[in-house]
Coordinates of all heavy atoms in Angstrom, one line a residue:
V1 N 10.6 -20.9 27.1 CA 11.4 -21.0 25.8 C 11.3 -19.7 25.0 O 12.2 -19.2 24.4 CB 11.1 -22.2 25.0 CG1 11.7 -22.2 23.7 CG2 11.5 -23.5 25.8
L2 N 10.0 -19.3 24.9 CA 9.8 -18.1 24.0 C 10.4 -16.8 24.6 O 10.9 -15.9 23.9 CB 8.3 -17.8 23.9 CG 7.5 -18.8 23.0 CD1 6.1 -18.6 23.0 CD2 8.1 -18.8 21.6
L3 N 10.5 -16.7 26.0 CA 11.1 -15.6 26.6 C 12.6 -15.6 26.5 O 13.2 -14.6 26.4 CB 10.6 -15.5 28.1 CG 9.2 -15.1 28.3 CD1 8.8 -15.2 29.8 CD2 8.9 -13.7 27.7
E4 N 13.2 -16.8 26.6 CA 14.6 -16.9 26.6 C 15.2 -17.0 25.2 O 16.4 -16.7 25.0 CB 15.1 -18.1 27.4 CG 14.8 -18.0 28.8 CD 15.2 -19.3 29.6 OE1 15.7 -20.2 28.9 OE2 15.1 -19.3 30.8
D5 N 14.5 -17.3 24.2 CA 15.0 -17.5 22.8 C 15.0 -16.2 22.1 O 14.0 -15.6 21.7 CB 14.1 -18.5 22.0 CG 14.7 -18.9 20.7 OD1 15.9 -18.8 20.6 OD2 13.9 -19.3 19.8
P6 N 16.2 -15.6 21.9 CA 16.3 -14.3 21.3 C 16.1 -14.4 19.7 O 16.5 -15.4 19.1 CB 17.7 -13.8 21.6 CG 18.5 -15.0 21.7 CD 17.5 -16.1 22.3
T7 N 15.4 -13.5 19.1 CA 15.3 -13.4 17.7 C 16.6 -12.9 17.1 O 17.1 -11.9 17.5 CB 14.1 -12.5 17.3 OG1 12.9 -12.9 18.0 CG2 13.8 -12.5 15.9
P8 N 17.1 -13.6 16.0 CA 18.3 -13.1 15.4 C 18.1 -11.8 14.7 O 17.0 -11.5 14.2 CB 18.7 -14.2 14.4 CG 17.4 -15.0 14.2 CD 16.6 -14.8 15.4
E9 N 19.1 -11.0 14.6 CA 19.1 -9.7 13.9 C 19.0 -10.0 12.4 O 19.5 -11.0 11.9 CB 20.3 -8.9 14.2 CG 20.4 -8.5 15.7 CD 19.2 -7.6 16.0 OE1 18.8 -6.7 15.2 OE2 18.7 -7.7 17.2
P10 N 18.5 -9.1 11.6 CA 18.5 -9.3 10.1 C 19.8 -9.5 9.5 O 20.0 -10.2 8.5 CB 17.8 -8.1 9.6 CG 17.0 -7.6 10.7 CD 17.7 -7.9 11.9
T11 N 20.9 -8.9 10.1 CA 22.2 -9.0 9.5 C 22.8 -10.4 9.9 O 23.8 -10.8 9.3 CB 23.1 -7.9 10.1 OG1 23.1 -8.0 11.5 CG2 22.7 -6.6 9.6
E12 N 22.3 -11.1 10.8 CA 22.8 -12.4 11.2 C 22.2 -13.6 10.4 O 22.7 -14.7 10.4 CB 22.5 -12.7 12.7 CG 23.1 -11.7 13.7 CD 22.7 -12.0 15.1 OE1 21.7 -12.7 15.3 OE2 23.3 -11.4 16.0
V13 N 21.2 -13.3 9.6 CA 20.5 -14.3 8.8 C 20.9 -14.2 7.4 O 20.7 -13.1 6.8 CB 19.0 -14.2 9.0 CG1 18.3 -15.3 8.2 CG2 18.6 -14.3 10.5
K14 N 21.5 -15.2 6.8 CA 21.9 -15.2 5.4 C 21.5 -16.5 4.7 O 21.5 -17.6 5.4 CB 23.4 -15.0 5.3 CG 23.8 -13.7 5.8 CD 25.3 -13.5 5.6 CE 25.7 -12.1 6.2 NZ 27.1 -11.9 6.2
A15 N 21.1 -16.5 3.5 CA 20.7 -17.7 2.7 C 21.9 -18.5 2.4 O 21.8 -19.7 2.5 CB 19.9 -17.3 1.5
G16 N 22.9 -17.9 1.9 CA 24.1 -18.7 1.6 C 24.0 -19.3 0.2 O 23.1 -19.1 -0.5
P17 N 25.0 -20.2 -0.1 CA 25.0 -20.8 -1.4 C 23.9 -21.8 -1.6 O 23.4 -22.0 -2.7 CB 26.4 -21.5 -1.5 CG 26.9 -21.4 -0.1 CD 26.2 -20.4 0.7
L18 N 23.4 -22.4 -0.6 CA 22.3 -23.4 -0.7 C 21.1 -22.7 -1.1 O 20.3 -23.2 -2.0 CB 22.1 -24.2 0.6 CG 21.0 -25.2 0.5 CD1 21.3 -26.3 -0.5 CD2 20.7 -25.8 1.9
G19 N 20.8 -21.5 -0.6 CA 19.6 -20.8 -1.0 C 19.7 -20.3 -2.4 O 18.7 -20.3 -3.2
F20 N 20.9 -19.9 -2.8 CA 21.1 -19.5 -4.2 C 20.9 -20.7 -5.2 O 20.3 -20.5 -6.2 CB 22.6 -18.9 -4.4 CG 22.9 -18.5 -5.8 CD1 22.3 -17.3 -6.3 CD2 23.8 -19.2 -6.6 CE1 22.6 -16.9 -7.6 CE2 24.1 -18.8 -7.8 CZ 23.5 -17.6 -8.3
A21 N 21.4 -21.8 -4.8 CA 21.2 -23.0 -5.6 C 19.8 -23.4 -5.8 O 19.3 -23.8 -6.8 CB 22.0 -24.2 -5.0
V22 N 19.0 -23.3 -4.7 CA 17.6 -23.6 -4.7 C 16.9 -22.6 -5.7 O 16.0 -23.0 -6.5 CB 17.0 -23.5 -3.3 CG1 15.5 -23.5 -3.4 CG2 17.5 -24.6 -2.5
W23 N 17.2 -21.3 -5.7 CA 16.6 -20.4 -6.6 C 16.9 -20.7 -8.0 O 16.1 -20.6 -8.9 CB 17.0 -18.9 -6.2 CG 16.2 -18.3 -5.2 CD1 16.5 -18.1 -3.9 CD2 14.9 -17.8 -5.3 NE1 15.5 -17.6 -3.2 CE2 14.4 -17.3 -4.1 CE3 14.0 -17.7 -6.4 CZ2 13.2 -16.8 -3.9 CZ3 12.7 -17.2 -6.2 CH2 12.4 -16.7 -5.0
I24 N 18.2 -21.0 -8.3 CA 18.6 -21.3 -9.7 C 17.8 -22.6 -10.1 O 17.3 -22.6 -11.3 CB 20.1 -21.6 -9.7 CG1 20.8 -20.2 -9.4 CG2 20.5 -22.1 -11.1 CD1 20.5 -19.1 -10.4
F25 N 17.7 -23.6 -9.3 CA 17.0 -24.8 -9.6 C 15.5 -24.5 -9.9 O 15.0 -25.0 -10.9 CB 17.1 -25.9 -8.5 CG 16.3 -27.1 -8.7 CD1 16.7 -28.0 -9.6 CD2 15.1 -27.3 -8.1 CE1 16.0 -29.2 -9.9 CE2 14.3 -28.4 -8.3 CZ 14.8 -29.3 -9.2
M26 N 14.9 -23.7 -9.1 CA 13.5 -23.3 -9.3 C 13.3 -22.6 -10.7 O 12.4 -22.8 -11.4 CB 13.0 -22.5 -8.2 CG 12.8 -23.4 -6.9 SD 12.1 -22.6 -5.5 CE 11.9 -20.9 -5.8
I27 N 14.2 -21.7 -11.0 CA 14.2 -21.0 -12.3 C 14.3 -21.9 -13.4 O 13.5 -21.9 -14.4 CB 15.2 -19.8 -12.3 CG1 14.9 -18.7 -11.3 CG2 15.4 -19.3 -13.7 CD1 16.0 -17.7 -11.1
L28 N 15.3 -22.8 -13.4 CA 15.5 -23.8 -14.4 C 14.3 -24.7 -14.6 O 13.9 -25.1 -15.7 CB 16.7 -24.6 -14.2 CG 18.0 -23.8 -14.3 CD1 19.2 -24.7 -14.0 CD2 18.2 -23.3 -15.8
A29 N 13.7 -25.1 -13.4 CA 12.5 -26.0 -13.5 C 11.3 -25.3 -14.2 O 10.6 -25.9 -15.0 CB 12.1 -26.4 -12.1
V30 N 11.1 -24.0 -13.9 CA 10.0 -23.2 -14.5 C 10.3 -23.1 -16.0 O 9.4 -23.2 -16.8 CB 9.9 -21.8 -13.9 CG1 9.0 -20.9 -14.7 CG2 9.3 -22.0 -12.5
V31 N 11.5 -22.9 -16.4 CA 11.9 -22.8 -17.9 C 11.6 -24.1 -18.6 O 11.0 -24.1 -19.7 CB 13.3 -22.3 -18.1 CG1 13.8 -22.5 -19.5 CG2 13.5 -20.9 -17.6
V32 N 12.0 -25.2 -18.0 CA 11.8 -26.5 -18.6 C 10.3 -26.8 -18.7 O 9.8 -27.3 -19.7 CB 12.5 -27.6 -17.8 CG1 12.0 -29.0 -18.2 CG2 14.0 -27.5 -17.9

């Protein structure tokens, strides 16, 4: 499995809107 499973390129990995929402939630939680 380790030999056949290719590692994705850095340009193929993106956080997207869910990652952005998590960061915003964490910032708001720290402020509160």
Side-chain angles (χ1 to χ4, degrees):
V1 169
L2 288 176
L3 290 175
E4 291 180 1
D5 190 24
T7 305
E9 295 297 321
T11 56
E12 296 174 350
V13 180
K14 296 180 182 176
L18 181 62
F20 181 71
V22 168
W23 274 104
I24 295 298
F25 175 75
M26 288 184 353
I27 290 170
L28 291 175
V30 168
V31 168
V32 168

